[in-house]
């Protein structure tokens, strides 16, 4: 009798562990758990708004399964990593002191920056499209954002973050 109950419980656990996992955001923020559709996006990252005399400075990133046709701003830059196939669009609303797309590697203790793909300084009201691949676990790519106060934010491009 206990073998039958154990087998039933094991079957339920196996089915639950094989279910599809929803797309989630980076390790730095909580985000939507909605499955991405080819022509839609999910909010992947959103920075805090920094009030200025002209309005506010903010970064919002949307993740896409295919290259989006429209962007928030006409001025757009494209940054391509070594691994490709998924897209994330960073809309820079207002000003940023710096934006850097880099390849990283886990050395067993911390992430080590291997290579810089693109780096922009003193940018304003632009969209930056990143063509990358969202791995599970340790990221292949990171984005470093330097806001107008000099605070650095690091966004890891990963499939699942906690």
């Amino acid at each position: 009798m206990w073998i039958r109950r154990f087998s039933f419980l094991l079957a339920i656990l196996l089915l639950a562990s094989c279910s599809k996992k929803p797309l989630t955001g980076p390790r730095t923020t909580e985000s939507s758990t909605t499955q991405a559709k080819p022509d839609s996006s999910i909010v992947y990252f959103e920075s805090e708004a920094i009030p200025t005399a002209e309005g506010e400075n903010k970064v919002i990133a949307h993740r896409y399964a295919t290259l989006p046709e429209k962007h928030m701003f006409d001025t757009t830059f494209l940054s391509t990593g070594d691994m490709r196939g998924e897209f994330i669009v960073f809309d820079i609303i207002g000003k940023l002191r710096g934006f850097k797309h880099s390849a990283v590697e886990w050395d067993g203790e911390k992430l080590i920056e291997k290579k810089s793909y693109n780096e922009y300084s003193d940018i304003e009201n632009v969209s930056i499209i990143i063509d990358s691949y969202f791995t599970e676990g340790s990221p292949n790519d990171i984005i470093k954002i330097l806001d107008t106060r000099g605070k650095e934010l690091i966004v890891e491009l990963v499939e699942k973050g906690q």
Side-chain angles (χ1 to χ4, degrees), residues 5-48:
R5 287 183 185 168
F6 179 75
S7 297
F8 180 73
L9 182 60
L10 183 62
I12 290 174
L13 289 173
L14 285 173
L15 285 173
S17 67
C18 292
S19 66
K20 289 185 179 179
K21 297 177 182 174
L23 294 176
T24 58
R27 296 174 191 209
T28 56
T29 64
E30 291 183 14
S31 67
S32 170
T33 56
T34 307
Q35 185 73 27
K37 296 184 177 87
D39 293 324
S40 67
S41 71
I42 60 171
V43 174
Y44 187 78
F45 170 80
E46 187 169 347
S47 72
E48 72 175 280

Side-chain angles (χ1 to χ4, degrees), residues 23 36-38 40 62-68 78-89 101 117 129-135 140-141 157 159:
L23 294 176
K37 296 184 177 87
S40 67
H62 292 267
R63 182 175 171 184
Y64 296 86
T66 59
L67 183 63
L78 176 65
S79 183
T80 303
D82 290 337
M83 298 183 75
R84 301 178 185 166
E86 297 178 83
F87 301 91
I88 186 164
V89 178
H101 175 202
Y117 295 119
I129 302 170
I130 306 293
D131 184 357
S132 186
Y133 181 75
F134 294 76
T135 59
N140 288 320
D141 292 356
L157 301 186
E159 181 66 37

Side-chain angles (χ1 to χ4, degrees), residues 82-103:
D82 290 337
M83 298 183 75
R84 301 178 185 166
E86 297 178 83
F87 301 91
I88 186 164
V89 178
F90 286 85
D91 292 316
I92 315 308
I93 303 164
K95 297 179 183 179
L96 271 187
R97 287 173 55 188
F99 184 99
K100 185 177 183 180
H101 175 202
S102 301

